[in-house]
Amino acid sequence: METKELNFNGFKMNGFFGLFIHLIVLPALIYFGFITCVPTAIVAGILCIVWCIMFAGYMQLEPNEARAMVFFGKYKGTFKETGFFWVNPFLDKKKLSLRARNLDVEPIKVNDKIGNPVLIGLVLVWKLKDTYKAMFEIDSQTMASSAHTVTGNANQISIGNAVASRMNAFENFVKIQSDAALRQVAGQYAYDDNEADTEELTLRSGGEEINEQLEQKLNERLAMAGMEVVEARLNYLAYAPEIAAVMLRRQQASAIITAREKIVEGAVSMVKMALHKLSEEEIVELDEEKKAAMVSNLLVVLCADEAAQPIINAGTLNH
């Protein structure tokens, strides 16, 4: 992903040293303030302005936090050093979080490759990669300001709430793009395999391949916003309610057919073994008609759903 982010190379100094200078200005301000003459009054006024302006230059950053530095509308770089600093007080220091965030996308209804409506949801982990794109390539600041207007006066919102609103705006962008990517990927595959092509990749059996494609599509869509998807996984997959009952009967029928195939295969093997044992050990001699009758009876007994009721023949083999 091509990055437009720059490192902040402007003036900065240790915040505690800035506090020390701040404290030195205060006694000088008091001293010149008590001298009643025009020059000292001008100096006192200048010191008062400097003392007040210096308050706006302090900032602190924790690990995985950043500040997008803007000087009267011009981007000056991104500040990522952790600690307590003093910078140009006229810089607008827009705080951002670089920490990973979870997003649980509620299941949405989409049509799979063969047109069946399915409910599909995902969970993903994302984080900011390029602070310039996140702040200036998408309209996140307007969305965050709109959220402030709803909750109250934007000028009275704390920095923490401003950051939360900005990150919520990013999350909303990720959510909308994840819905689009999910629809795109889900439309390329069938929910489950069919009799025509059992080797085809499906949503239910795709597993890691489907997740990798979903992650790739998401990263393509979020690259313009400077965001990166760390992991994306399907966490919900089901037929839509209107066809769920029909598809359940289809799955039950397929399961019954598969089970019947196994039962018949085993029954034929057992009949073959029985005839071979009878012939090999010369227990009884059976002609072709008797073998056919025996095979028929054994298959009925072995393949029946319920236990067969035996009929004891008290006569000879011919009656």
Side-chain angles (χ1 to χ4, degrees):
M1 180 173 65
E2 182 183 356
T3 180
K4 293 185 178 180
E5 180 181 283
L6 302 175
N7 290 325
F8 177 71
N9 295 320
F11 174 78
K12 67 177 184 294
M13 67 177 175
N14 187 282
F16 296 103
F17 184 69
L19 282 175
F20 176 73
I21 296 175
H22 212 160
L23 293 175
I24 292 177
V25 172
L26 182 59
L29 172 62
I30 296 174
Y31 173 77
F32 286 107
F34 281 103
I35 301 176
T36 57
C37 66
V38 175
T40 56
I42 295 175
V43 173
I46 294 173
L47 289 175
C48 182
I49 294 173
V50 170
W51 190 77
C52 294
I53 290 178
M54 284 189 68
F55 280 109
Y58 297 106
M59 69 174 186
Q60 66 175 13
L61 266 75
E62 298 177 1
N64 284 322
E65 286 186 346
R67 299 265 188 163
M69 315 298 277
V70 180
F71 184 70
F72 292 106
K74 186 175 182 180
Y75 174 68
K76 290 294 185 178
T78 300
F79 195 99
K80 293 184 178 180
E81 294 183 41
T82 58
F84 183 48
F85 300 94
W86 188 91
V87 295
N88 185 345
F90 294 102
L91 285 168
D92 188 4
K93 302 172 283 293
K94 300 179 183 294
K95 190 175 181 181
L96 297 168
S97 174
L98 304 180
R99 301 182 178 103
R101 296 169 71 93
N102 279 324
L103 179 61
D104 186 5
V105 179
E106 293 294 327
I108 58 175
K109 184 186 292 186
V110 300
N111 291 331
D112 66 1
K113 183 180 180 180
I114 58 178
N116 291 326
V118 298
L119 294 176
I120 185 169
L122 80 155
V123 60
L124 58 90
V125 181
W126 65 277
K127 63 180 180 179
L128 290 183
K129 190 72 173 178
D130 189 324
T131 56
Y132 177 88
K133 289 182 178 180
M135 287 299 300
F136 306 113
E137 294 288 344
I138 62 173
D139 199 10
S140 58
Q141 299 185 71
T142 302
M143 291 186 287
S145 299
S146 300
H148 286 170
T149 304
V150 172
T151 56
N153 188 348
N155 294 327
Q156 297 176 354
I157 301 296
S158 67
I159 294 178
N161 288 338
V163 177
S165 298
R166 195 174 293 126
M167 297 307 296
N168 288 337
F170 294 150
E171 186 170 298
N172 184 59
F173 184 87
V174 174
K175 182 180 182 301
I176 294 173
Q177 293 300 320
S178 63
D179 282 357
L182 189 57
R183 291 180 186 277
Q184 182 181 2
V185 173
Q188 296 176 355
Y189 303 97
Y191 174 90
D192 202 354
D193 57 13
N194 51 53
E195 291 77 8
D197 188 2
T198 57
E199 300 298 326
E200 184 180 3
L201 187 66
T202 63
L203 294 174
R204 192 163 73 94
S205 63
E208 291 298 327
E209 294 184 48
I210 298 294
N211 292 331
E212 288 176 3
Q213 291 193 29
L214 184 59
E215 184 177 326
Q216 179 184 354
K217 295 295 183 183
L218 281 168
N219 278 322
E220 290 176 359
R221 290 176 173 272
L222 297 177
M224 63 172 292
M227 301 172 192
E228 178 188 30
V229 174
V230 179
E231 183 182 26
R233 290 185 176 276
L234 297 180
N235 68 338
Y236 186 89
L237 182 63
Y239 282 113
E242 57 265 28
I243 66 165
V246 176
M247 289 302 177
L248 178 61
R249 288 199 295 271
R250 175 180 175 272
Q251 291 175 352
Q252 290 173 340
S254 298
I256 291 173
I257 292 172
T258 303
R260 287 291 183 184
E261 290 177 352
K262 291 293 183 182
I263 291 172
V264 171
E265 182 181 348
V268 171
S269 176
M270 293 174 69
V271 170
K272 181 180 179 181
M273 182 180 64
L275 292 174
H276 178 71
K277 285 289 185 181
L278 290 173
S279 176
E280 185 181 40
E281 298 183 9
E282 299 180 352
I283 296 175
V284 64
E285 291 185 5
L286 300 174
D287 57 18
E288 294 301 323
E289 184 179 350
K290 296 299 181 181
K291 286 182 180 180
M294 181 179 177
V295 169
S296 176
N297 293 335
L298 285 175
L299 287 177
V300 169
V301 171
L302 295 173
C303 297
D305 288 333
E306 299 179 357
Q309 299 295 327
I311 298 176
I312 300 176
N313 186 358
T316 64
L317 293 173
N318 298 319
H319 292 87

